[in-house]
Amino acid sequence: MTELLTVDEYAAIAAGLDLPRAPFVEGKFRAGSGPEMETVNPATGEVLAKIGTADENDVDFAVRKAREAFERGEWSRAHPSERKDVLVRLCKLITRRRREFAVMESIDSGKPIRDCELVDVPETIQAIKWHGELIDKIYGQTAPAGDDALSVIVREPLGVVAAVLPWNFPMLMMAWKIGPALAAGNSVVVKPAEQTSLTALRLAEVAHMAGVPRGVLQVLPGEGPVAGRHLGMHPDVDMISFTGSTETGRRFLRYSADSNLKKVTLECGGKNPAIVLEDAENLDHVAEHVVNGAFWNMGENCSAISRLIAHREIKSPLVERILARLRDWKTGNPLDPQNSLGALVDAFHSKKVSGYLEGEALAGGTANGNYIEPTIYEVSKSDRRAKEEIFGPVLSVIEVASEAEAVQLANETEYGLTASVFTGNVRRAIRIAKDIRAGTVTVNCYGEGDISTPFGGYRQSGFGGRDNSIHAHDQFTETKTIWIDIADPKDGDNVG
């Protein structure tokens, strides 16, 4: 397990970082043609770097180089085991520089260094390695075609894939996308979020060092309405893989319809419930999972528990335990490993989340710049905090009187990403898990599964595919049928 450093040691690493400042295209950093963009440490307001951005011409150049790389075939036609070796080598290089990546991620996004060290960087490595090692173990198929034919079903890479990233897990979400996309043989153009470009640029550079050929992995920092839109509309981009808001996800569907009908996979928002019934066992255990699910990563998590739907018989003792557990969750300097919560990503988002801090809170309820305390309100099911995605450290507690009411309330949302159920009855748990309309339902715990399980949502939480697991490869490949006539010519009419 990674041993955490002191706040002074992390600050020293941050002061010595050589930050990337330009798009990474065709195997090297190249000046962008767009205006410079400030990347700001949300915890301090310090300008970390001014990064050159990509405009439409830069996007055209990067896509052209990505297509040329795909057609050259040194990556797309390489034996799967060769691509695996390069991706495993990339993981080794990330491991050697894990502290650099962790600190860079923390100062760029406001994430607590303990999460970057113990979660984000290790899971980034695991995701890339898992998909790299999987690719030479995915078999094609044959279909029953009788004695006169052989039908072979194979996967082929799509071509040029654009990955558009969110700011809440910049490095890990990049790994979720480039892991299967590169393993399958595609060329990938990454557009990181405007707020968090640093680790994406560094990761592309390290990937090139590991042996990913020029043009196969490129990163274009820039504004969504410019670089993101142009990728979405580009006629030579074969697919968009997007994680972010539902509103922006809709735009990419429109871009696809208005251009070349490129494939689109969306992983969007959530308003995720945790149902705790009267027969839930060990309320201390439940409280631990609820606090972690609600406030991990400052609640800037599409799968965060934002609605605690508690049976009236256990609501009060459960809330007491949650409040006691919350005392251990300190908010402050992200580079201090003693803090569980850091700063929200920027002033604009902090203002949005602060708009939900109204009325008497059971805990928290105050903001100080980009720092917002973990906050708990007891609300009615019609309260906007029980309906709208807040994407911050705000938990709404809603009391119910029955299992049926709990399930009905859990499904009263336009989203359907994750949900949790706490009950001591296995049959009840399975029944409720089947009734909840969400892509992942956890029982007696909070979580998202792991790299081996598909992640995505129902309704406005997702579209077009799943991240993680073998199913992630489906979105980055085409399925082809090859039909071979093997009938003996002597059995048919002579020709010629």
Side-chain angles (χ1 to χ4, degrees):
M1 183 176 178
T2 301
E3 182 177 347
L4 297 174
L5 305 179
T6 67
V7 61
D8 291 336
E9 289 172 317
Y10 284 122
I13 294 173
L17 289 174
D18 179 19
L19 301 176
R21 299 171 187 270
F24 189 85
V25 180
E26 185 71 348
K28 62 182 181 181
F29 290 111
R30 295 172 178 264
S33 301
E36 284 190 330
M37 176 176 64
E38 290 184 346
T39 185
V40 177
N41 182 336
T44 65
E46 173 194 1
V47 176
L48 298 170
K50 293 184 178 180
I51 300 176
T53 63
D55 66 6
E56 289 90 343
N57 293 326
D58 297 314
V59 172
D60 290 339
F61 180 76
V63 171
R64 183 168 72 251
K65 292 303 178 181
R67 179 64 63 188
E68 290 174 2
F70 184 79
E71 297 299 339
R72 283 198 308 270
E74 58 188 305
W75 185 257
S76 59
R77 295 188 180 92
H79 192 279
S81 63
E82 295 178 30
R83 296 200 295 270
K84 175 187 72 174
D85 290 344
V86 172
L87 293 177
V88 170
R89 193 178 308 128
L90 167 58
C91 291
K92 292 179 179 178
L93 293 181
I94 298 172
T95 300
R96 292 174 191 169
R97 304 174 67 166
R98 63 188 182 278
R99 284 248 150 84
E100 173 190 353
F101 277 108
V103 173
M104 192 180 295
E105 189 88 325
S106 179
I107 63 174
D108 200 21
S109 67
K111 296 169 67 73
I113 188 64
R114 62 181 301 114
D115 287 353
C116 296
E117 282 262 48
L118 303 180
V119 179
D120 293 56
V121 173
E123 290 194 7
T124 293
I125 295 167
Q126 182 190 28
I128 296 172
K129 186 177 180 182
W130 194 89
H131 287 292
E133 291 182 335
L134 174 68
I135 193 59
D136 63 355
K137 302 170 185 67
I138 299 179
Y139 290 85
Q141 297 174 308
T142 61
D147 292 336
D148 294 337
L150 174 66
S151 62
V152 182
I153 304 166
V154 298
R155 295 170 180 253
E156 293 184 348
L158 287 169
V160 177
V161 170
V164 181
L165 307 181
W167 45 255
N168 58 334
F169 292 92
M171 191 176 179
L172 181 55
M173 292 301 98
M174 182 172 174
W176 277 21
K177 297 181 186 305
I178 69 171
L182 291 177
N186 296 286
S187 295
V188 185
V189 180
V190 174
K191 208 298 273 185
E194 292 94 322
Q195 299 92 330
T196 53
S197 299
L198 296 179
T199 49
L201 291 165
R202 181 66 79 228
L203 184 53
E205 180 187 27
V206 173
H208 186 65
M209 295 175 183
V212 175
R214 59 187 174 86
V216 171
L217 178 60
Q218 305 176 100
V219 175
L220 300 178
E223 297 180 353
V226 180
R229 181 183 184 280
H230 201 54
L231 283 168
M233 291 291 294
H234 204 289
D236 207 26
V237 171
D238 299 297
M239 180 202 171
I240 293 284
S241 179
F242 169 78
T243 296
S245 71
T246 301
E247 177 185 358
T248 304
R250 287 192 180 96
R251 292 196 187 105
F252 280 105
L253 291 177
R254 296 188 189 103
Y255 297 156
S256 173
D258 292 341
S259 57
N260 60 337
L261 284 181
K262 57 178 63 65
K263 290 181 66 174
V264 177
T265 299
L266 306 178
E267 197 277 284
C268 299
K271 190 63 179 173
N272 311 293
I275 294 175
V276 185
L277 296 174
E278 76 281 1
D279 62 351
E281 299 175 336
N282 191 344
L283 291 185
D284 289 318
H285 168 83
V286 176
E288 179 182 0
H289 280 269
V290 170
V291 169
N292 184 52
F295 302 117
W296 170 51
N297 202 50
M298 295 75 70
E300 296 174 327
N301 181 9
C302 56
S303 64
I305 294 174
S306 59
R307 294 183 292 157
L308 173 59
I309 302 173
H311 194 281
R312 63 187 178 191
E313 291 185 14
I314 53 85
K315 186 199 71 177
S316 293
L318 175 59
V319 169
E320 288 177 7
R321 287 165 170 79
I322 289 172
L323 295 176
R325 177 74 59 176
L326 202 56
R327 297 188 192 108
D328 296 330
W329 283 62
K330 299 177 181 178
T331 303
N333 181 1
L335 290 181
D336 186 345
Q338 300 300 314
N339 291 326
S340 299
L341 285 83
L344 272 63
V345 71
D346 61 17
F348 177 82
H349 185 62
S350 297
K351 182 178 180 181
K352 171 186 175 290
V353 174
S354 296
Y356 290 93
L357 305 181
E358 54 188 22
E360 184 177 354
L362 300 177
T366 61
N368 180 13
N370 291 338
Y371 292 99
I372 295 180
E373 292 181 299
T375 298
I376 302 174
Y377 291 103
E378 186 168 357
V379 303
S380 69
K381 65 180 182 180
S382 61
D383 191 291
R384 69 189 186 105
R385 288 167 293 194
K387 293 178 173 294
E388 299 173 10
E389 184 181 34
I390 300 174
F391 220 68
V394 180
L395 173 65
S396 297
V397 180
I398 310 166
E399 179 182 302
V400 293
S402 67
E403 171 189 323
E405 184 184 1
V407 173
Q408 180 181 356
L409 182 56
N411 285 330
E412 286 181 2
T413 173
E414 62 192 16
Y415 299 108
L417 188 56
T418 68
S420 301
V421 181
F422 294 86
T423 172
N425 186 307
V426 174
R427 289 184 178 180
R428 194 181 198 187
I430 294 172
R431 183 173 64 246
I432 294 172
K434 289 173 66 68
D435 288 343
I436 293 176
R437 294 183 53 78
T440 298
V441 181
T442 58
V443 176
N444 292 330
C445 64
Y446 164 77
E448 298 175 353
D450 62 17
I451 189 64
S452 68
T453 57
F455 182 80
Y458 287 22
R459 294 178 286 193
Q460 294 187 36
S461 286
F463 176 88
R466 291 290 189 262
D467 289 318
N468 291 346
S469 81
I470 192 172
H471 296 279
H473 287 250
D474 294 338
Q475 59 181 299
F476 296 110
T477 57
E478 292 282 14
T479 301
K480 175 181 284 186
T481 296
I482 301 175
W483 186 275
I484 306 168
D485 184 351
I486 59 172
D488 191 334
K490 295 178 182 178
D491 295 338
D493 296 332
N494 290 329
V495 179

